């Protein structure tokens, strides 16, 4: 008959959206559309675009017209961005055409060292990201894929590596990049 909740135990599942116009279509898809200077914030995810459409039936959010998204320490742009949610958390992100990702470079996720002006970058026709427990699991960069990333020896900067190929696959363990595979037409340069 009485419920006691500690403030720390409450997790709000809220998305804040501002736009010039918002529409709701109550049909089998349950579509929510925002147009004109769209800005949104949900937990660690923030985005801006010209138009967004949330499809409740498949928990997919599509950002169009110059979309830009920020997730934790990363910035992502492309012609369109599709975000797939499950149980209130981000599970997949697909950046379609002119895909570009930028992340602050640091020795490890637990490191507090942030070398000034150093950003790991990937670009390609499309970028597909998967997440497990809100941490990156893999990144797949397709067609004319390019990756630029900084290398560290402990906490000391060791150089920068630029790779290109037909496909780049980056796998993560516990939120940290573990392997980078470049496939087809591979070219790479290391700068000490």
């Amino acid at each position: 008959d009485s419920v006691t909740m500690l403030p720390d135990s409450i997790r709000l599942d809220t998305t804040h959206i501002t736009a010039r116009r918002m529409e709701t279509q109550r049909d089998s898809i349950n579509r929510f559309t925002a147009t004109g200077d769209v800005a949104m914030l949900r937990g660690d995810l923030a985005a801006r675009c010209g138009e967004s459409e949330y499809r409740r039936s498949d928990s997919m959010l599509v950002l169009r017209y110059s979309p830009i998204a920020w997730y934790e320490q990363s910035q992502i742009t492309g012609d369109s961005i599709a975000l797939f949610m499950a149980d209130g958390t981000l599970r997949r992100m697909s950046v379609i055409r002119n895909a570009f990702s930028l992340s602050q470079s640091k020795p490890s996720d637990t490191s507090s060292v942030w070398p000034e002006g150093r950003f790991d970058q990937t670009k390609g026709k499309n970028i597909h990201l998967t997440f497990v427990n809100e941490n990156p699991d893999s990144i797949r960069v397709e067609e004319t894929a390019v990756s630029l990333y900084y290398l560290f020896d402990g906490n000391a900067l060791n150089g920068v590596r630029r790779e290109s190929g037909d496909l780049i696959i980056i796998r993560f363990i516990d939120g940290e990049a573990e392997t980078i595979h470049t496939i087809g037409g591979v070219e790479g340069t290391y700068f000490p």
Side-chain angles (χ1 to χ4, degrees), residues 117-185:
R118 305 257 195 309
F119 297 92
D120 296 330
Q121 304 168 43
T122 55
K123 73 174 186 172
K125 183 175 182 183
N126 304 314
I127 296 177
H128 303 281
L129 302 97
T130 58
F131 300 87
V132 173
N133 298 326
E134 299 182 358
N135 288 317
D137 183 58
S138 69
I139 299 174
R140 181 183 177 94
V141 185
E142 301 173 340
E143 296 185 44
T144 61
V146 178
S147 176
L148 178 100
Y149 56 96
Y150 289 87
L151 303 169
F152 294 89
D153 186 6
N155 283 335
L157 185 60
N158 189 11
V160 64
R161 174 107 176 131
R162 182 188 186 280
E163 291 184 14
S164 63
D166 298 331
L167 175 67
I168 296 175
I169 299 172
I170 304 169
R171 301 246 186 245
F172 293 81
I173 294 180
D174 296 327
E176 292 190 39
E178 183 68 22
T179 60
I180 300 174
H181 298 280
T182 305
I183 302 165

Side-chain angles (χ1 to χ4, degrees), residues 60-88:
M60 182 172 74
L61 174 65
V62 179
L63 310 174
R64 296 184 195 97
Y65 307 116
S66 303
I68 182 168
W70 296 270
Y71 186 74
E72 295 181 350
Q73 301 299 323
S74 297
Q75 176 179 301
I76 300 154
T77 62
D79 288 357
S80 65
I81 299 173
L83 303 134
F84 302 88
M85 311 292 279
D87 302 322

Side-chain angles (χ1 to χ4, degrees), residues 88-133:
T89 60
L90 181 62
R91 297 300 171 106
R92 291 185 296 134
M93 180 185 300
S94 291
V95 186
I96 309 302
R97 290 185 302 281
N98 298 309
F100 181 76
S101 172
L102 180 80
S103 299
Q104 178 72 49
S105 184
K106 61 181 179 173
S108 71
D109 271 355
T110 57
S111 175
S112 60
V113 176
W114 297 77
E116 192 173 318
R118 305 257 195 309
F119 297 92
D120 296 330
Q121 304 168 43
T122 55
K123 73 174 186 172
K125 183 175 182 183
N126 304 314
I127 296 177
H128 303 281
L129 302 97
T130 58
F131 300 87
V132 173
N133 298 326

